[in-house]
Amino acid sequence: MIYNKLSSTQTPTFPETWWGQGDASKEDIEVRPLKIDISKEVLKDLKYRLDNAIPLQPPLEGVQQNYGMNSRLLRKVIDYWKRDYNWTQRQQFLNKFPQYTISVQGLKIHYIHVKPKLIPQYALKVLPLLLLHGWPGSVREYYEMIPLLTELQKGRNIVFEAIAASLPGYGFSEATNKPGMSIARQAQIMKNLMIRLGYKKFYIQGGDIGSGIATQMSVLYPEVLLGVHSNTCLCFMMSCQLKLMLLGTTFPSLLGTEEELPFFTPVGEKYIYKTLLETGYMHIQATKPDTIGTGLRDNPVGLAAYILEKFTTWTNPDWKALEDGGLTKRYPLDSLLDNVMIYWITKSITTSQRLYSETMNAATLGLGIDQIPSSVPTACAVFKNDIWTYPKSLLHTQYRNLVQANYYMDGGHFAAFELPEVLAKDVYDFVEKIID
């Protein structure tokens, strides 16, 4: 009875909310180029804070990263940040792609827009692809992947026009001063961004929150999506959770193939224990985002610890047992600090965290959007070390038109950042299957 009620949830509709200040009738929708150019005063202030940070609390003996980011590892990161990280060079790197802002529903939205160059005649299709990051990430996650998507690959006859957008309240995108900016409302803004840029239909790739936005967009606005590719495919539908907890704990082979079993069993460890271990941040951000944000917004050391810890445990949970957290096994420190710097220089950590509170409150959850399956052609790239991974049988519940689901024994949560070649290939393979 409960399942029937949830599964019959009607798709909600939202008004075109004005999230900005001023008069909506006077919205300036001109596309404006953006170049990152941080003042010397901001950098001088950062240096002062790093140089004068209080001594870190010594870690317990032998705990490595099991109590969070070990202060010995953090000390090395901060020392590198102070001595070796060259913002002048990194800023030049971050400006390598064309960047713009445009107002959508009253908010200035930042995006990278890279069009393919020198496309030969045999490249039959240039396809618009919206790239959506998550938390605690940024558009920086896509820098290594964008060239793979926008330069013609050997043996392919398609190439992408990439639009990597900063979510509202993240990085260089403006935050609202009004409550209610949930994932569903961000889906509306991202849909309208693409329409405003001239794309009536497009493809989308997302990870983490970006995947959630893509999924909800496919439920709310399926008419604009040609296909959805996700590296964070989840199923929070009631039937999914019941099957996972009942069949997954007793007869898991009824849910998944032999290939899939290592990805979702044992259920108690993969879902219950891992959820308790890795989602404390989520509970804080869903209930008290401004409190934790206050502690991070003016403390670069704390901000780095809070963000970089996720790049250890969410890339490979076994790295918690390592003295260095495996932090640079997949990511150069410069790249990781680029991401931290985007949060620091834009002062966006608090506004980024509010998305959890707006999405996980009773009013938003009561809409039941996550109980409505998607009919848009979808692909799931499942990486074994991600936080949660589901077998195809359950993914089909959420994504009724699941065209592709590939399972990778290597890789974790930040796939675009960690394994850009693998993820780009997965995107190409999917689109080639569904393109007209």
Side-chain angles (χ1 to χ4, degrees):
M1 180 177 178
I2 294 175
Y3 168 64
N4 288 338
K5 183 178 180 181
L6 289 171
S7 62
S8 63
T9 300
Q10 293 187 350
T11 303
T13 58
F14 300 104
E16 296 282 320
T17 301
W18 177 258
W19 296 102
Q21 302 182 24
D23 187 346
S25 66
K26 298 179 180 179
E27 183 173 23
D28 179 1
I29 59 172
E30 182 179 348
V31 173
R32 300 185 185 280
L34 180 142
K35 184 176 182 180
I36 302 171
D37 186 13
I38 304 307
S39 69
K40 293 181 180 179
E41 288 73 19
V42 170
L43 300 177
K44 183 178 178 180
D45 174 73
L46 172 59
K47 183 178 185 304
Y48 175 82
R49 291 171 187 266
L50 292 175
D51 287 340
N52 292 277
I54 62 173
L56 298 174
Q57 182 68 40
L60 298 173
E61 294 181 2
V63 300
Q64 316 312 346
Q65 314 302 318
N66 285 287
Y67 277 62
M69 192 170 189
N70 190 298
S71 57
R72 285 194 293 268
L73 171 58
L74 180 58
R75 181 74 269 163
K76 293 179 180 178
V77 171
I78 300 307
D79 287 344
Y80 183 89
W81 197 358
K82 293 194 305 184
R83 293 195 310 258
D84 302 310
Y85 182 81
N86 186 322
W87 175 249
T88 301
Q89 294 177 358
R90 301 315 298 172
Q91 182 170 260
Q92 184 177 1
F93 171 82
L94 292 172
N95 282 320
K96 67 184 290 188
F97 299 128
Q99 300 179 63
Y100 307 91
T101 62
I102 189 171
S103 182
V104 181
Q105 295 175 236
L107 299 179
K108 289 182 180 179
I109 302 300
H110 163 256
Y111 62 98
I112 293 169
H113 194 170
V114 181
K115 299 180 180 181
K117 299 178 181 179
L118 303 175
I119 301 302
Q121 291 183 350
Y122 64 83
L124 302 181
K125 297 280 187 177
V126 177
L127 308 172
L129 176 65
L130 175 63
L131 303 170
L132 294 180
H133 65 86
W135 187 93
S138 65
V139 290
R140 175 63 185 87
E141 295 178 64
Y142 285 108
Y143 268 65
E144 283 72 30
M145 187 171 163
I146 286 174
L148 301 173
L149 298 170
T150 57
E151 298 172 8
L152 191 62
Q153 303 298 301
K154 185 177 180 180
R156 308 280 188 184
N157 60 4
I158 62 172
V159 69
F160 296 100
E161 183 173 336
I163 300 94
S166 295
L167 305 183
Y170 286 67
F172 299 98
S173 280
E174 188 178 4
T176 182
N177 63 351
K178 299 174 175 63
M181 180 61 77
S182 64
I183 282 178
R185 298 307 186 102
Q186 296 223 4
Q188 184 183 68
I189 288 175
M190 289 297 121
K191 180 262 296 185
N192 287 336
L193 167 69
M194 293 298 284
I195 291 174
R196 183 149 290 175
L197 295 180
Y199 305 103
K200 294 181 179 180
K201 291 179 177 287
F202 53 91
Y203 297 89
I204 188 169
Q205 198 290 320
D208 191 79
I209 288 173
S211 174
I213 292 172
T215 299
Q216 295 210 3
M217 196 186 297
S218 71
V219 171
L220 298 170
Y221 312 107
E223 69 279 1
V224 304
L225 293 179
L226 297 168
V228 172
H229 185 283
S230 170
N231 55 284
T232 315
C233 284
L234 306 174
C235 183
F236 293 136
M237 296 177 69
M238 185 63 72
S239 61
C240 256
Q241 297 303 308
L242 288 174
K243 288 179 181 178
L244 183 63
M245 292 302 147
L246 296 177
L247 286 180
T249 55
T250 53
F251 302 104
S253 60
L254 296 178
L255 284 185
T257 65
E258 185 173 345
E259 176 198 13
E260 297 164 10
L261 284 174
F263 287 77
F264 74 97
T265 61
V267 169
E269 177 185 333
K270 297 283 188 180
Y271 296 93
I272 300 173
Y273 176 71
K274 203 168 186 179
T275 297
L276 291 172
L277 190 65
E278 293 297 336
T279 61
Y281 81 97
M282 187 183 297
H283 185 77
I284 293 174
Q285 293 174 191
T287 55
K288 312 291 184 183
D290 285 24
T291 301
I292 185 64
T294 299
L296 300 173
R297 193 173 183 271
D298 67 348
N299 179 0
V301 176
L303 180 68
Y306 196 68
I307 289 176
L308 295 181
E309 179 238 310
K310 304 306 181 191
F311 285 87
T312 288
T313 58
W314 294 0
T315 300
N316 190 326
D318 292 339
W319 291 352
K320 288 186 297 183
L322 302 178
E323 185 71 20
D324 65 357
L327 196 58
T328 57
K329 286 180 179 291
R330 291 289 168 82
Y331 317 102
L333 267 184
D334 279 345
S335 300
L336 293 170
L337 287 172
D338 289 344
N339 184 59
V340 174
M341 282 290 287
I342 288 173
Y343 279 90
W344 177 258
I345 60 182
T346 60
K347 298 298 182 186
S348 60
I349 188 63
T350 303
T351 55
S352 74
Q353 293 172 150
R354 287 175 179 164
L355 181 55
Y356 287 80
S357 179
E358 302 295 1
T359 299
M360 301 176 73
N361 58 40
T364 301
L365 292 176
L367 297 173
I369 301 174
D370 59 357
Q371 300 299 317
I372 305 173
S374 165
S375 60
V376 172
T378 300
C380 296
V382 185
F383 294 87
K384 187 172 183 295
N385 292 323
D386 205 347
I387 305 171
W388 299 298
T389 51
Y390 289 78
K392 292 177 189 175
S393 63
L394 297 186
L395 294 178
H396 273 289
T397 306
Q398 179 69 64
Y399 311 100
R400 295 291 172 82
N401 194 357
L402 184 64
V403 174
Q404 173 178 294
N406 291 324
Y407 288 75
Y408 298 98
M409 291 298 291
D410 190 18
H413 190 68
F414 304 99
F417 211 7
E418 179 189 1
L419 298 171
E421 295 87 358
V422 174
L423 192 63
K425 181 180 183 303
D426 206 272
V427 173
Y428 274 109
D429 290 345
F430 163 60
V431 173
E432 287 181 341
K433 290 176 182 176
I434 64 172
I435 193 170
D436 294 332

